[in-house]
């Protein structure tokens, strides 16, 4: 007899001993031999079978619905029409430029522009303009006032309280007489000339007035503006 047969024999005897001990215990407690074991039978009536089938169908439907794929939401939302319009049309700025520029007044420029851009739109700096009085690289803001200072013949900055250059296109006869070489008669001729022929585009245009020569033009070059 090999080892496997010996092991099976031991297990068989051990099982038989357990059954016999259980039978003695049952007889001692009940006064009778234990009943013979009966095979287990499962009985399922029609109603229970229908209910079970319905439950299984419901569970299958719920599982299918939970696993159903949903369309993926877009990662990047499309811009609204108003946002696109704002990006396409940058805001415009209105800036007042005055002082030692050729055409003082209001200028309109795009957002992000700098002081240098505003001065350029105002005709640029005049000969005696003090560039150190403004920061040409500074971005401008809407509604601000940019004042460009000026220097005298010695190159020194002119104080803000000192009178500025005489505007040849707006000054009256009294104001024109403050210019060197311009008296009462010549001031009247200047006023009459601009009324007849229009404003002066440059100081050199004064030479069209009778009595004004290169000497007067040079004398008032830093004191007058157009």
């Amino acid at each position: 007899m090999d080892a496997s047969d010996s092991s099976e024999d031991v297990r068989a005897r051990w099982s038989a001993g357990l059954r016999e001990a259980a039978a003695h215990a049952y007889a001692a407690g009940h006064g009778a031999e234990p009943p013979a074991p009966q095979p287990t039978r499962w009985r399922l009536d029609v109603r229970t079978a229908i209910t079970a089938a319905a439950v299984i169908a419901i569970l299958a439907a719920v599982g299918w619905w939970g696993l159903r794929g949903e369309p993926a939401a877009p990662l990047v939302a499309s811009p609204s029409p108003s946002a696109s319009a704002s990006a396409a049309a940058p805001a415009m700025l209105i800036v007042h430029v005055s002082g030692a520029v050729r055409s003082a007044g209001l200028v309109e420029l795009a957002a992000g522009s700098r002081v240098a851009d505003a001065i350029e739109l105002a005709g640029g700096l005049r000969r005696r303009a003090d560039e150190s009085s403004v920061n040409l690289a500074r971005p401008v803001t809407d509604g601000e006032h940019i004042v460009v200072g000026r220097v005298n013949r010695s190159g020194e900055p002119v104080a803000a309280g000192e009178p500025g250059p005489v505007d040849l296109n707006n000054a009256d006869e009294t104001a024109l007489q403050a210019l060197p070489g311009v008296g009462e008669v010549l001031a009247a001729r200047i006023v009459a000339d601009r009324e007849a022929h229009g404003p002066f585009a440059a100081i050199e245009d004064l030479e069209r007035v009778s009595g004004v020569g290169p000497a007067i033009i040079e004398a008032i070059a830093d004191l007058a503006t157009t």
Side-chain angles (χ1 to χ4, degrees):
M1 177 181 298
D2 57 11
S4 59
D5 293 339
S6 177
S7 177
E8 291 179 359
D9 183 60
V10 171
R11 283 199 296 268
R13 284 184 293 173
W14 181 75
S15 298
L18 287 178
R19 286 196 297 270
E20 184 178 355
H24 287 305
Y26 184 89
H30 294 81
E33 294 295 328
Q38 299 293 329
T40 301
R41 295 182 179 180
W42 293 92
R43 299 185 63 186
L44 189 65
D45 57 14
V46 176
R47 179 178 299 178
T48 304
I50 294 175
T51 303
V55 171
I56 293 173
I58 293 173
L59 293 176
V62 172
W64 174 85
W65 182 266
L67 296 176
R68 185 173 59 91
E70 295 292 340
L75 296 179
V76 180
S78 58
S80 62
S82 58
S84 300
S86 301
M92 300 300 293
L93 307 178
I94 304 296
V95 178
H96 181 197
V97 184
S98 65
V101 293
R102 298 188 181 277
S103 300
L106 298 179
V107 297
E108 183 177 3
L109 61 169
S113 299
R114 301 182 183 271
V115 172
D117 301 320
I119 292 176
E120 182 179 357
L121 291 176
L125 297 172
R126 290 194 171 276
R127 184 190 307 177
R128 295 296 184 184
D130 182 11
E131 294 187 11
S132 64
S133 63
V134 291
N135 180 2
L136 298 176
R138 177 178 61 81
V140 299
T141 57
D142 185 50
E144 75 166 297
H145 185 191
I146 301 173
V147 182
V148 181
R150 58 189 181 90
V151 296
N152 55 26
R153 292 179 179 273
S154 302
E156 299 176 351
V158 176
E162 295 185 26
V166 176
D167 190 340
L168 298 176
N169 291 317
N170 295 305
D172 57 17
E173 294 183 15
T174 301
L176 290 172
Q177 292 178 44
L179 297 172
V182 179
E184 182 178 351
V185 175
L186 191 52
R189 291 177 184 174
I190 293 174
V191 174
D193 183 276
R194 77 186 184 202
E195 291 177 352
H197 302 97
F200 303 103
I203 297 177
E204 289 75 15
D205 290 348
L206 277 179
E207 292 187 1
R208 74 192 190 195
V209 179
S210 178
V212 178
I216 293 180
I217 297 295
E218 184 179 357
I220 70 173
D222 296 328
L223 304 174
T225 185
T226 57

